[in-house]
């Protein structure tokens, strides 16, 4: 863990809102480490609203197929952290191609923890366009 | 005769649907009701550069939920209806680039006019300065800078938005803003000289990004007022991610909502 994030004390924190873009840039795996470092003295779980933006242009989509499937384990690792209140909202915005979304869903179906969260209604997958983008 | 409440409701509906052109036409008959609605939230567009390449069509009357008004036209309206200055609660100043020209060099008369209008608005609660291309605060017209800074010092000011590509905005301009609660700094900013001893601003909501090398020393000193409820942090580069810790620590006893946008992170 980066030393900068050890034992963050945020006793009143109730709600985490995360935005992460996948495709055009790289997913920051350090996010999991950062979230683990949050010490929750109030003991109450956090609300999580996770906006996952799948942004890849049509122009590079065909080339990008070569890289699929992506490793979605960092996304899954965030969702199964034992610090969140259910249901977790995962908003999946999409721009340019459905390939990333299909790959994400496929990955989730193979992850037993995520599959259980979805089945129990503890994870709400909300798929839609990215606000402000065509 | 339709009761005033019903008329008010109809015009409020038009306003919420951004039917500004219709409202303007109706203002001839119902000036007071409509002026209060129409000019409550306004945006001034300052277009510069090649006037033949429009980045916004001429018929555009709104910008992010506010009435987009031409400064010259608004000045004329003020001449006929000076009471309108009391209705204005929110102002956005938007530089709209039409080429590669420089805002300081290209639009002196219009910028001076906007500065003059700003100096008459004494009841605004929110103010925003939006630049579409990288330009430095020091390159803006001095009259506009002065008028903008004077607005920041108004006791009515509650929210300030500086973005998106403005650089070198002086944080010292925000000190002593006694009632400022919401601050969005999607811009480059400068710390200024000296250590802050002001108890203000007492922020409840703060949005910052790290598009430039950020130094949060002065902002952290503001957060010691223990009032911050929501912190939004947009990361431009991975190495800036660690800068979030001192911000969180400074408001650790009050922070309720943490909003992290890692969309611009470059890890590899």
């Amino acid at each position: 863990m980066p030393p900068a994030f050890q034992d963050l004390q945020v006793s009143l924190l109730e709600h985490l809102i995360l935005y992460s873009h996948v495709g055009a840039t790289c997913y920051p795996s350090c996010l999991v480490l950062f979230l683990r470092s949050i010490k929750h003295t109030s003991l109450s779980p956090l609300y999580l609203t996770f906006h996952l933006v799948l942004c890849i242009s049509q122009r590079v989509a065909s080339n990008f197929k070569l890289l699929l499937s992506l490793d979605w384990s960092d996304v899954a690792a965030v969702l199964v952290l034992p610090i969140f209140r259910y249901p977790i909202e995962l908003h999946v915005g999409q721009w340019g191609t459905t390939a990333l979304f299909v790959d994400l869903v496929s990955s989730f179906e193979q992850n037993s923890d995520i599959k259980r969260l979805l089945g129990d209604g503890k994870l709400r997958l909300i798929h839609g366009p990215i606000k402000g983008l065509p | 005769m339709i009761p005033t409440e019903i008329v008010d409701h109809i015009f409020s509906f038009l306003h919420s649907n951004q039917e500004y052109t219709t409202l303007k036409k109706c203002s001839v008959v119902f000036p007071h009701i409509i002026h209060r609605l129409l000019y409550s939230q306004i945006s001034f567009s300052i277009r510069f550069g090649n006037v033949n390449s429009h980045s916004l069509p001429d018929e555009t009357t709104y910008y992010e939920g506010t009435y987009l008004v031409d400064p010259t036209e608004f000045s004329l309206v003020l001449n006929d209806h000076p009471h309108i200055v009391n209705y204005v609660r929110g102002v956005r100043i938007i530089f709209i680039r039409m080429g590669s020209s420089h805002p300081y060099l290209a639009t002196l008369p219009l910028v001076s006019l906007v500065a003059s209008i700003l100096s008459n608005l004494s009841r605004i609660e929110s103010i925003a300065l939006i630049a579409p291309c990288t330009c430095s605060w020091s390159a803006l017209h001095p009259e506009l800078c002065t008028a903008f800074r004077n607005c920041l010092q108004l006791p009515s000011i509650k929210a300030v938005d500086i973005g998106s590509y403005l650089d070198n905005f002086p944080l010292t301009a925000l000190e002593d803003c006694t009632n400022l609660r919401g601050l969005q700094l999607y811009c480059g900013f400068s710390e200024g000289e000296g250590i802050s001893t002001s108890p203000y601003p007492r922020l409840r909501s703060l949005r910052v990004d790290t598009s430039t090398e950020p130094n949060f020393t002065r902002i952290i000193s503001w957060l010691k007022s223990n009032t911050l409820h929501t912190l939004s942090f947009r990361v431009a580069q991975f190495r800036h991610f660690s800068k979030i810790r001192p911000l969180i620590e400074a408001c650790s006893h009050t922070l309720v909502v943490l909003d992290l946008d890692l969309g611009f992170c470059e890890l590899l």
Side-chain angles (χ1 to χ4, degrees):
Chain A
M1 181 187 305
F5 292 138
Q6 285 177 355
D7 297 334
L8 275 169
Q9 300 281 344
V10 275
S11 56
L12 295 180
L13 192 65
E14 284 182 5
H15 194 167
L16 266 173
I17 304 169
L18 303 174
Y19 288 82
S20 186
H21 294 218
V22 180
T25 54
C26 301
Y27 184 75
S29 58
C30 66
L31 186 59
V32 180
L33 301 175
F34 168 74
L35 295 175
R36 280 184 180 150
S37 73
I38 291 179
K39 286 266 181 181
H40 216 9
T41 52
S42 69
L43 297 178
S44 60
L46 300 174
Y47 290 102
L48 173 65
T49 308
F50 196 164
H51 297 265
L52 195 60
V53 183
L54 310 181
C55 52
I56 181 169
S57 68
Q58 291 287 9
R59 185 173 57 82
V60 297
S62 55
N63 295 331
F64 203 80
K65 282 177 185 170
L66 299 172
L67 302 175
L68 296 178
S69 156
L70 285 183
D71 181 3
W72 298 98
S73 58
D74 288 330
V75 177
V78 169
L79 298 173
V80 299
L81 280 175
I83 60 172
F84 298 123
R85 186 189 299 261
Y86 301 122
I88 294 169
E89 284 192 1
L90 177 62
H91 296 256
V92 184
Q94 183 179 308
W95 185 34
T97 176
T98 58
L100 284 173
F101 181 71
V102 170
D103 190 52
L104 172 72
V105 172
S106 172
S107 170
F108 278 3
E109 284 174 351
Q110 291 167 25
N111 184 314
S112 58
D113 291 333
I114 298 294
K115 205 171 175 179
R116 193 178 308 116
L117 285 177
L118 285 166
D120 294 346
K122 292 180 175 176
L123 174 62
R124 292 180 56 206
L125 192 62
I126 301 160
H127 182 218
I130 301 170
K131 191 179 176 185
L133 291 175
Chain B
M1 184 84 176
I2 304 173
T4 308
E5 293 82 1
I6 303 296
V7 174
D8 204 8
H9 186 72
I10 292 168
F11 291 141
S12 295
F13 178 78
L14 290 172
H15 185 256
S16 63
N17 283 285
Q18 300 176 338
E19 298 280 354
Y20 299 128
T21 306
T22 307
L23 283 171
K24 250 172 81 176
K25 288 174 182 168
C26 296
S27 69
V28 178
V29 182
F30 301 97
H32 285 282
I33 294 176
I34 290 179
H35 286 163
R36 183 168 46 79
L37 285 170
L38 194 58
Y39 298 108
S40 62
Q41 303 288 331
I42 57 175
S43 294
F44 292 124
S45 61
I46 300 177
R47 304 179 184 211
F48 62 94
N50 180 8
V51 292
N52 294 319
S53 64
H54 293 255
S55 52
L56 278 178
D58 282 342
E59 64 271 21
T60 300
T61 56
Y62 59 89
Y63 178 86
E64 293 191 355
T66 64
Y67 177 38
L68 187 60
V69 60
D70 177 75
T72 308
E73 180 192 319
F74 187 67
S75 182
L76 293 173
V77 172
L78 280 185
N79 284 340
D80 293 336
H81 307 281
H83 62 276
I84 285 175
V85 294
N86 297 320
Y87 296 153
V88 181
R89 293 290 183 267
V91 180
R92 284 176 167 264
I93 301 156
I94 311 152
F95 285 96
I96 298 174
R97 180 175 57 178
M98 298 179 181
S100 57
S101 186
H102 197 284
Y104 177 56
L105 298 174
T107 54
L108 282 178
L110 204 52
V111 172
S112 295
L113 181 60
V114 170
S116 169
I117 293 170
L118 280 184
S119 64
N120 287 311
L121 304 177
S122 59
R123 298 189 183 186
I124 51 176
E125 296 175 356
S126 66
I127 189 164
L129 185 62
I130 312 294
C133 57
T134 303
C135 67
S136 173
W137 168 262
S138 57
L140 297 178
H141 193 277
E143 282 183 33
L144 182 65
C145 293
T146 302
F148 192 85
R149 288 187 73 140
N150 288 341
C151 283
L152 296 179
Q153 299 301 317
L154 289 171
S156 56
I157 284 287
K158 294 176 184 170
V160 172
D161 176 0
I162 313 288
S164 320
Y165 295 97
L166 196 71
D167 196 16
N168 213 29
F169 177 79
L171 292 182
T172 49
L174 295 164
E175 290 195 330
D176 299 322
C177 294
T178 52
N179 291 311
L180 180 62
R181 295 293 178 266
L183 175 62
Q184 177 162 301
L185 290 172
Y186 279 180
C187 64
F189 45 82
S190 61
E191 282 280 302
E193 293 181 359
I195 300 168
S196 172
T197 55
S198 169
Y200 303 110
R202 291 179 173 170
L203 297 174
R204 181 165 172 78
S205 164
L206 172 66
R207 303 180 77 91
V208 288
D209 85 353
T210 60
S211 56
T212 58
E213 291 289 341
N215 185 341
F216 296 117
T217 307
R218 191 170 295 270
I219 291 177
I220 286 170
S221 73
W222 297 343
L223 299 186
K224 287 174 183 167
S225 62
N226 279 332
T227 53
L228 199 77
H229 175 278
T230 301
L231 173 63
S232 302
F233 194 85
R234 195 163 74 175
V235 182
Q237 295 183 33
F238 177 57
R239 67 176 185 276
H240 295 158
F241 193 60
S242 61
K243 300 242 177 188
I244 192 177
R245 175 162 189 137
L247 279 172
I248 293 177
E249 284 183 328
C251 57
S252 61
H253 298 299
T254 58
L255 188 66
V256 174
V257 180
L258 177 60
D259 178 349
L260 290 177
D261 186 344
L262 307 165
F264 303 95
C265 220
E266 296 171 8
L267 257 182
L268 299 178

